[in-house]
Amino acid sequence: MNYLYKGSQSQERLNALLSFGKSTSEDIKAALNDYLVRGISKTNAATLNGVPASNLTRALKRLEVVAGKIEKIKELDYRLR
């Protein structure tokens, strides 16, 4: 299941997601921000920030894993109520 898509995140949520993952370069973070927060296409976000599209895609996949784990915890918490 995909939790992250174009324009779906607030800046605060993206920062929180990034804090759980591997260290990411500032260029990739800026491209992720452009895609996930500002809603710019992946290709344009990569180009605007001078990163290969494949690196942005890889970073998105890693961030998707983090988002999935967080959603799983939220689901478990909801069941406990």
Side-chain angles (χ1 to χ4, degrees):
M1 178 174 204
N2 288 335
Y3 301 101
L4 305 175
Y5 50 91
K6 184 169 87 168
S8 67
Q9 304 300 304
S10 68
Q11 184 64 58
E12 295 81 11
R13 184 168 164 85
L14 176 58
N15 291 341
L17 288 169
L18 287 169
S19 75
F20 286 103
K22 288 176 129 181
S23 178
T24 304
S25 73
E26 292 303 314
D27 293 342
I28 292 291
K29 287 179 185 177
L32 287 167
N33 182 71
D34 284 345
Y35 175 66
L36 293 170
V37 177
R38 296 180 62 206
I40 296 173
S41 72
K42 278 190 232 180
T43 304
N44 288 342
T47 301
L48 286 171
N49 292 284
V51 298
S54 61
N55 290 5
L56 177 56
T57 298
R58 190 175 315 117
L60 279 166
K61 286 180 182 179
R62 283 196 324 253
L63 210 55
E64 188 69 49
V65 170
V66 172
K69 289 177 181 179
I70 291 170
E71 291 302 319
K72 179 68 174 174
I73 290 169
K74 287 168 51 178
E75 185 180 311
L76 291 170
D77 286 346
Y78 180 77
R79 288 183 193 168
L80 292 174
R81 291 180 190 185

